[in-house]
Amino acid sequence: MKLSAGSSIRELPVPAEVKVPVGQHIGAPAVPVVKVGDAVKVGQLIAEAGGFVSANIHSPVSGKVKKIEDFVDANGYRKPCITITVEGDEWDESIDRTTAIRREITLEPAEIINRVKQMGIVGMGGATFPAHVKLSVPPGKKCEALIINGVECEPYLTSDHRLMLEHGDEILIGVKILMKALGVSKAYIGIENNKKDAIENLTRLASGFEGITVQPLKMRYPQGGEKQLIDACIGRQVPSGKLPIDVGAVVQNVGTVFAIYEAVQKNKPLIERIVCVTGKPLREPSNLLVRIGTPVKNLIEAAGGMPDDCGKVIGGGPMMGRPYSNLDVPVVKGTSGVTLMNKADSKRPEPSACIRCAKCVSVCPMGLEPFLMSKLAMLGRYDDLRDANVMDCIECGCCSFTCPSNRPLLDFVRLGKGKVGAQLRAEAAAKKAAAEAAKKAADEKPEAK
């Protein structure tokens, strides 16, 4: 269901105040480089990446820094945040704000990757993995194919769909930028067949770009997953525990590609994004161009206001999204959509005992056993959960959706995945500390005479 597919992208007015979290990406949070009272412009660096796997944060507005403190994020956790009071709309002079399409790619591969890093570009399909890390192919690995994710298989969401219709040229130039950065000659843009207008538009435009193929795909959820898309486009399967680059592929979302085009060709940081605001009870399902830090409630107001029959507001789509704890939380780099559900659809049926039907196993796109993993998570058996390959779960929600007993399988799998992920990070940190200690001890050891 695509209620907003016919709604053209429109720009949301700049709010009076924005909250900009310093952790809008996978990896280490960024470190603030401004202080309370500082005046900032649109596009100015306000928080610097806290490591290699991290991302810069830029001001989405002009004004003054009001406070730097923790706030409660969309999931109910307290996270550091920079609050800015808006004063006018003064942009950094280095940003090209014209609508002219810049086709000539002048930067060299290393310069492209550095520009992407400096502009704070992350994966905008929801994962928010820093884009420069994906583009930095490790020694001994080689990228053979660039795959662009235009699937947008999550029900209701249409932000990528509208982007492909309204900014096709910029997306294709962005693909060529990535091809140059990775040193590849082939790129595939995967789009599901329910977006025929987008397929036709990009196919027509791609005829003028050598090496780019628009790949129509069958409608099959969750085909937008990285591993599923690689298999669909080039017929290669990523083994458990491995990354796309291990089979010679790099995957980027079309929203990320557009942001990379703007970063490289127009020196524009990631300070705004397109958000789909949709759902059955909503009066005006919309695709909105929104500044990062804008309160979610502003988006709902722009789409016709909060309906009386609304039972739940979800960040993302109905399958993989999570309910908002409150609507004052801000739009972040990974906010692809806001879905409103009516009271009848949002009410969870009472779960009953597992009937051992194995439907959750048959629908799992990763070949996992959701019934087992959810049980292990409930029992706190995290070592066994790790052995069950819980980290391979892509959290698509197919298991919960198909369960005839209405068991909240994904909820428990997510819980267990978080615990196992914390274990893995702690082990990696301990291993790194031990290696550094051993190196220090070796350096301090006096030479034998």
Side-chain angles (χ1 to χ4, degrees), residues 344-425:
D345 289 344
S346 63
K347 186 177 180 182
R348 281 193 174 189
E350 283 295 318
S352 56
C354 174
I355 61 173
R356 303 294 191 270
C357 67
K359 283 188 176 181
C360 61
V361 177
S362 65
V363 299
C364 178
M366 299 304 297
L368 302 174
E369 297 176 301
F371 74 93
L372 173 63
M373 295 192 300
S374 64
K375 189 67 174 179
L376 292 173
M378 289 172 65
L379 297 174
R381 291 169 54 179
Y382 301 123
D383 289 338
D384 292 332
L385 193 58
R386 183 170 168 178
D387 293 338
N389 295 324
V390 69
M391 298 308 291
D392 285 345
C393 172
I394 62 172
E395 303 182 24
C396 65
C398 288
C399 54
S400 293
F401 184 81
T402 196
C403 179
S405 297
N406 302 312
R407 299 186 66 77
L409 300 173
L410 178 58
D411 291 1
F412 284 108
V413 172
R414 272 179 173 160
L415 173 66
K417 189 177 173 183
K419 296 289 187 181
V420 172
Q423 284 183 352
L424 293 172
R425 289 190 295 273

Side-chain angles (χ1 to χ4, degrees), residues 208-232:
F209 292 83
E210 186 179 354
I212 301 178
T213 301
V214 177
Q215 184 77 49
L217 302 171
K218 293 180 181 179
M219 287 176 58
R220 187 177 184 184
Y221 182 83
Q223 197 149 223
E226 265 193 341
K227 295 184 177 181
Q228 287 71 34
L229 185 58
I230 292 169
D231 191 15

